[in-house]
Amino acid sequence: MRVALDPGPLDGPARVQRLAEDGSPLGPPETLSDLAAVACVEREHAPRWVFARARGYRRLLAGGVDVARAHDIELVEGLLVAADGQFGQPHGLAAAVARLEGRTPVPDPPAGDDGPPALFDAGPSTDELADIVAVHAAQQRRLSAATPGMRLLAAAESAGMLVAQEMTAAGLPWRIDVHDRLLVDLLGPKPLLGGRPPKLAALADAVNEAFGRPLNPDSPAEVLRAFARAGHELETTRSWELKRIDHPAVEPLLAYKELARLHAAHGWSWLRTWVADGRFRPEYVVGGVVSGRWATRGGGALQIPKAVRAAVRADPGWKLVAADAAQLEPRMLAALSGDHSLAPGDEDLYTALAAREFAGDRAKAKLALLSAMYGQTSGGAGVLLATLRKRFPAAMAYVEDAARAGEEGRLVRSHLGRTCPPARPGHEQPAAARARGRFTRNFVVQATAAEWALVLLAELRMLLRSAGSRAVLVFFQHDEVLLHAPAEEAEAAAEAVRTAAVTAGRRLFGDTPVRFPMQPRIVEGYDER
DNA sequence: CAGCCTCGCGCC
DNA sequence: AAAGGGCGCGAGGCTG
């Protein structure tokens, strides 16, 4: 059974409508007095709840109610609209209703908006539950005519919404004291009135001294001018470019840039803004990236530098279970292309490839494979690619076909059917076409990896729920998950991760010989390997 | 002043 | 010959 839900105000009644699988109503709309009644329906029927958007579930969680399964109207609409080749169309509920009624879709409300939907609903209807029911039925019709992959993708994307909201609610355990100590070690004591911490100030002084005049090391333009006066014409102030020149300012400047980055992006100001009650709570944006990868809002959650990961520590009596998928993208390529010998087993794929083709040089093997998937040809990649082309013709043909499709302006899709938006018009120049080719070449692999990860999350969540585990997902970053688990449940949680990885591979590719191993580590701190 | 762009760098 | 994919964020710096 499915149940469409308009959760209503936090403490007020919720409106629901029971639905058949195809979305047709089973009886009239009903009013539930409060969220406890929603929880009761969940316990008795465990339906697939149909939400207009993520904040519907956020409201349930705020009331202490969680559910097993969902259908997210906005996320599914985005998938279906793109699959129909309707790119750039809004896919909010109001827009979907407008499309159903043959009106021009209204723009989506601003991202992250939490206001009342009626504010943005320019259409004649203000009955959100009726809108949800109507759009859901239309989506189920479209999904029933689509591929099994699309149906799996729609379910997984919706499960992603549940995971995302639950992870934000749980928060990533973050020790302010550990983070602060780390900052003091690297930067010196926190300056009381803003300004540069002592070690940064000293490095800025050293840069000034090396140039013989004061400048702002944070200003690329000033740095370029200073080097030009010293006889070094640089294109940019990127660190790899600075490293190539011989000047006494280079060393302190590189040290300054590294610490300034830490101070600006993950320093005390970041701590004050983003960590509260021992938890960092970024907002996850499911499918926020064209490839289906997630984005986040707030605190740069997907770019937590290795230098501060020690601050992520389990609560007393708890453990972190950290697991990342090893060499996920080349394994995806092996499965997608049928070139199974590219990924023969569980062992490190680059090491294995290096042993067979690159005289044991792992770095070469890695560069070769990444170049194939990103479209890189410089830096010696060309020679390595020739080796791959000879040894793995099907895998190489797969990415090269995707690149050609992009260059010729054709659409490409992920394994399950996420559609890559076409190039914007006006980009027919040869250089732009090649750039487009690199984009689509990468899309087929990255988007398929993203949907594997999505299915993994959904499977892992269900395994933990059905086992009654107290372990909770607290972080997800493309191919990596972090669980927070009571110490005595950590090993079971780790086993769930391994199982979910196997299941995700099977759900995507059936009984492919390609493996997608995850090796969970049970640790106290996220910095421990 | 806000709003927007570029730069550079963090992560995958 | 040359040709590296995807993001978010803060600081600088320009525009209106």
Side-chain angles (χ1 to χ4, degrees), chain A residues 226-297:
Chain A
F227 275 114
R229 272 194 297 266
H232 296 281
E233 296 287 346
L234 296 170
E235 293 285 318
T236 71
T237 63
R238 287 182 188 143
S239 55
W240 59 265
E241 201 175 342
L242 292 176
K243 279 174 193 154
R244 293 198 308 221
I245 62 171
D246 182 25
H247 187 279
V250 168
E251 190 190 328
L253 182 57
L254 288 174
Y256 175 90
K257 283 162 76 83
E258 192 177 333
L259 289 182
R261 167 87 195 167
L262 176 68
H263 180 236
H266 289 90
W268 290 284
S269 156
W270 182 92
L271 258 180
R272 195 176 54 250
T273 309
W274 296 113
V275 180
D277 303 321
R279 294 290 188 268
F280 169 41
R281 300 172 195 277
E283 183 187 346
Y284 295 88
V285 187
V286 176
V289 177
V290 166
S291 65
R293 276 186 172 184
W294 293 15
T296 56
R297 265 197 297 267

Side-chain angles (χ1 to χ4, degrees), chain A residues 296-342:
Chain A
T296 56
R297 265 197 297 267
L302 299 184
Q303 298 103 248
I304 299 169
K306 297 224 160 86
V308 302
R309 290 186 180 183
V312 180
R313 297 193 66 79
D315 290 349
W318 288 59
K319 297 281 189 187
L320 297 175
V321 180
D324 59 333
Q327 306 99 38
L328 183 59
E329 293 190 347
R331 290 176 191 277
M332 288 293 135
L333 177 56
L336 280 168
S337 64
D339 216 332
H340 299 146
S341 63
L342 180 59

Side-chain angles (χ1 to χ4, degrees), chain A residues 138-199:
Chain A
Q139 290 183 348
Q140 289 300 87
R141 278 195 299 277
R142 288 146 82 190
L143 284 172
S144 68
T147 62
M150 275 300 285
R151 288 192 284 279
L152 173 57
L153 182 56
E157 192 100 322
S158 295
M161 179 278 282
L162 299 176
V163 171
Q165 294 303 316
E166 289 166 7
M167 286 202 303
T168 300
L172 181 61
W174 201 284
R175 283 273 296 274
I176 292 182
D177 59 326
V178 174
H179 191 155
D180 177 71
R181 201 182 319 133
L182 199 146
L183 291 175
V184 171
D185 285 349
L186 291 166
L187 301 168
K190 175 185 176 184
L192 290 177
L193 297 169
R196 291 193 178 115
K199 295 198 182 178

Side-chain angles (χ1 to χ4, degrees), chain A residues 175-529:
Chain A
R175 283 273 296 274
I176 292 182
D177 59 326
V178 174
H179 191 155
D180 177 71
R181 201 182 319 133
L182 199 146
L183 291 175
V184 171
D185 285 349
L186 291 166
L187 301 168
K190 175 185 176 184
L192 290 177
L193 297 169
R196 291 193 178 115
K199 295 198 182 178
L200 265 187
L203 287 166
D205 288 345
V207 172
N208 288 341
E209 197 174 323
F211 282 123
R213 61 197 309 174
L215 68 118
N216 176 7
D218 288 321
S219 166
E222 281 190 48
V223 171
L224 285 185
R225 279 196 293 273
F227 275 114
R229 272 194 297 266
H232 296 281
E233 296 287 346
L234 296 170
E235 293 285 318
T236 71
T237 63
R238 287 182 188 143
S239 55
W240 59 265
E241 201 175 342
L242 292 176
K243 279 174 193 154
R244 293 198 308 221
I245 62 171
D246 182 25
H247 187 279
V250 168
E251 190 190 328
L253 182 57
L254 288 174
Y256 175 90
K257 283 162 76 83
E258 192 177 333
L259 289 182
R261 167 87 195 167
L262 176 68
H263 180 236
H266 289 90
W268 290 284
S269 156
W270 182 92
L271 258 180
R272 195 176 54 250
T273 309
W274 296 113
V275 180
D277 303 321
R279 294 290 188 268
F280 169 41
R281 300 172 195 277
E283 183 187 346
Y284 295 88
V285 187
V286 176
V289 177
V290 166
S291 65
R293 276 186 172 184
W294 293 15
T296 56
R297 265 197 297 267
L302 299 184
Q303 298 103 248
I304 299 169
K306 297 224 160 86
V308 302
R309 290 186 180 183
V312 180
R313 297 193 66 79
D315 290 349
W318 288 59
K319 297 281 189 187
L320 297 175
V321 180
D324 59 333
Q327 306 99 38
L328 183 59
E329 293 190 347
R331 290 176 191 277
M332 288 293 135
L333 177 56
L336 280 168
S337 64
D339 216 332
H340 299 146
S341 63
L342 180 59
D346 277 3
E347 74 277 13
D348 183 283
L349 191 150
Y350 301 131
T351 303
L353 176 61
R356 282 181 293 159
E357 306 296 334
F358 296 102
D361 189 337
R362 185 179 186 275
K364 263 190 189 171
K366 184 172 178 175
L367 175 65
L369 269 178
L370 294 181
S371 300
M373 293 183 296
Y374 291 169
Q376 177 179 349
T377 53
S378 65
V383 187
L384 306 178
L385 286 176
T387 303
L388 288 190
R389 209 168 281 122
K390 199 162 105 192
R391 185 65 183 71
F392 306 105
M396 293 300 284
Y398 194 90
V399 286
E400 282 166 5
D401 284 350
R404 201 171 311 117
E407 290 180 18
E408 294 171 2
R410 287 182 281 126
L411 291 184
V412 299
R413 294 184 211 274
S414 69
H415 182 63
L416 292 184
R418 191 183 302 272
T419 309
C420 181
R424 287 201 298 276
H427 287 250
E428 289 84 11
Q429 305 303 323
R434 283 194 299 275
R436 184 70 198 164
R438 290 192 294 277
F439 185 98
T440 50
R441 169 195 293 263
N442 185 249
F443 178 92
V444 294
V445 177
Q446 187 185 112
T448 303
E451 55 207 18
W452 178 87
L454 200 54
V455 172
L456 165 92
L457 279 180
E459 293 290 341
L460 176 56
R461 178 177 180 274
M462 285 308 280
L463 281 174
L464 295 172
R465 282 182 74 91
S466 56
S469 171
R470 286 190 291 155
V472 284
L473 275 156
V474 289
F475 191 56
F476 167 60
Q477 178 173 235
H478 310 314
D479 61 355
E480 179 181 5
V481 296
L482 206 56
L483 301 168
H484 193 216
E488 63 276 16
E489 297 184 28
E491 185 43 58
E495 186 54 29
V497 171
R498 286 186 282 264
T499 303
V502 171
T503 307
R506 211 168 279 149
R507 297 280 299 265
L508 259 70
F509 298 112
D511 60 355
T512 176
V514 178
R515 308 279 294 265
F516 310 99
M518 280 194 117
Q519 290 119 358
R521 321 182 300 277
I522 298 174
V523 293
E524 302 277 347
Y526 187 29
D527 57 324
E528 295 166 37
R529 301 300 311 177

Side-chain angles (χ1 to χ4, degrees), chain A residues 1-5 16-26 41 45-50 69-73 76 136-137 139-140 143 151 154-155 158:
Chain A
M1 183 174 69
R2 293 177 173 233
V3 176
L5 172 74
V16 298
Q17 167 84 64
R18 292 166 197 251
L19 306 170
E21 271 309 293
D22 68 358
S24 55
L26 299 170
V41 174
H45 304 285
R48 187 174 294 274
W49 294 90
V50 182
R69 299 185 301 150
H71 175 112
D72 183 310
I73 293 279
V76 173
H136 171 257
Q139 290 183 348
Q140 289 300 87
L143 284 172
R151 288 192 284 279
S158 295

